[in-house]
Amino acid sequence: MGRRSNSYFQFKQFRIEQERCAMKVSTDSVVLGALARASHQPGNILDIGTGTGVLALMMAQKYPVADIDAVEIDKEAFEQARQNVSSNKLGARIKVQRQAFQAFEPNQSQIYDLIITNPPYYSGQLQSNQTNINLARHEKGLNFTDLWTGIDRLLKTEGVLWLILPPNEMEDFKSLGKEIGFYSNSQTLLQDREISKVHRVIASFTRKKPKQSEKTALVIKDANNAYTTEYIDLLRDYMLHF
């Protein structure tokens, strides 16, 4: 699928307008949303850096009774996410808030069963000259230490964190998490094709150390440039043409 430059993206149960967002709907976000799951039926979910609001809406579809908070610092993305949430029936249980995650305080000091995020990355690479893309893609706005500090504060004892990062950044993130008592339960290695390098890792984290961390691969396209059966099956509930 890649990143879509269209002004909107139509899913089976909701529509995402995205003309005001630096980061468009992408394979990264929809695979993360499809894979992410709580350890039990969640009452409260948090989406950090919601962007278009796609992950919050995917969680609303997956967990029909959960209340969802979505946090976004960028003004244009916040307005877009709020528009997407208000114009889709699934958005009734989603609250979009504009602020830095470091300063986020949920109502009534609630904490979350599930936290999901497609966080900043490429901290060591050349930055774009567009501020909103820098905030979305780099650690300039939210570094991994601040991210873990907030997650530790806001995730329930039995809660689960799901996120996606490039392989090197994921190793850095895992190391920081281990220092404060978080362990990776599962990793899905994302490849464009079977012969391609792994370009993203989707991982889940809990405070309970697993006996063995699951590791699987997900190949998006086959040798004929068609979507693989595994990819179609994963996204069948969400993607319009699957």
Side-chain angles (χ1 to χ4, degrees):
M1 185 180 74
R3 275 193 183 83
R4 297 292 292 257
S5 57
N6 294 358
S7 64
Y8 70 91
F9 194 99
Q10 185 67 49
F11 289 83
K12 281 183 177 175
Q13 293 193 29
F14 58 90
R15 175 180 170 126
I16 293 289
E17 300 288 344
Q18 56 183 4
E19 71 275 1
R20 298 173 68 177
C21 287
M23 304 303 289
K24 311 300 184 186
V25 173
S26 67
T27 300
D28 290 6
S29 54
V30 295
V31 173
L32 171 60
L35 285 172
R37 60 190 183 275
S39 58
H40 57 275
Q41 186 68 32
N44 301 95
I45 299 171
L46 174 63
D47 175 17
I48 304 168
T50 195
T52 61
V54 62
L55 288 174
L57 283 160
M58 289 180 79
M59 292 302 99
Q61 178 180 331
K62 184 177 292 190
Y63 294 114
V65 298
D67 291 318
I68 300 163
D69 285 332
V71 182
E72 176 57 55
I73 190 173
D74 179 74
K75 182 179 184 296
E76 292 295 310
F78 162 74
E79 294 288 355
Q80 187 93 81
R82 193 166 62 170
Q83 173 194 349
N84 285 328
V85 164
S86 64
S87 62
N88 285 289
K89 286 191 292 186
L90 287 171
R93 291 171 289 103
I94 301 172
K95 182 178 180 182
V96 185
Q97 301 183 55
R98 186 191 173 201
Q99 63 183 140
F101 175 61
Q102 293 93 326
F104 175 67
E105 291 289 346
N107 292 337
Q108 301 171 342
S109 301
Q110 73 181 16
I111 53 178
Y112 299 92
D113 300 294
L114 174 63
I115 295 179
I116 187 168
T117 182
N118 185 353
Y121 57 84
Y122 296 149
S123 56
Q125 298 186 15
L126 289 174
Q127 296 200 6
S128 161
N129 59 7
Q130 293 178 259
T131 302
N132 57 351
I133 292 179
N134 282 336
L135 280 172
R137 273 190 168 173
H138 297 265
E139 290 189 46
K140 180 179 177 182
L142 176 61
N143 62 51
F144 289 166
T145 300
D146 287 350
L147 187 56
W148 268 125
T149 298
I151 289 163
D152 188 30
R153 177 171 59 91
L154 294 168
L155 190 66
K156 289 182 180 177
T157 302
E158 302 298 324
V160 186
L161 164 70
W162 283 83
L163 83 164
I164 184 168
L165 285 168
N168 290 341
E169 282 79 357
M170 183 60 81
E171 289 306 309
D172 292 343
F173 188 80
K174 282 170 60 180
S175 296
L176 284 171
K178 197 171 182 180
E179 290 177 12
I180 60 170
F182 280 87
Y183 303 93
S184 175
N185 279 286
S186 66
Q187 293 185 77
T188 300
L189 313 181
L190 206 56
Q191 298 169 258
D192 284 324
R193 289 169 178 76
E194 208 164 338
I195 60 171
S196 305
K197 288 182 178 178
V198 173
H199 67 280
R200 296 286 185 273
V201 180
I202 296 173
S204 64
F205 292 84
T206 63
R207 290 184 171 89
K208 185 177 179 180
K209 189 174 184 179
K211 292 179 181 178
Q212 187 172 357
S213 180
E214 299 176 22
K215 186 177 283 191
T216 57
L218 178 64
V219 179
I220 297 168
K221 291 186 176 181
D222 62 22
N224 298 316
N225 206 36
Y227 290 122
T228 62
T229 302
E230 292 78 12
Y231 183 75
I232 291 171
D233 287 346
L234 177 66
L235 297 179
R236 192 180 302 278
D237 289 342
Y238 303 97
M239 304 301 289
L240 193 60
H241 301 297
F242 285 180

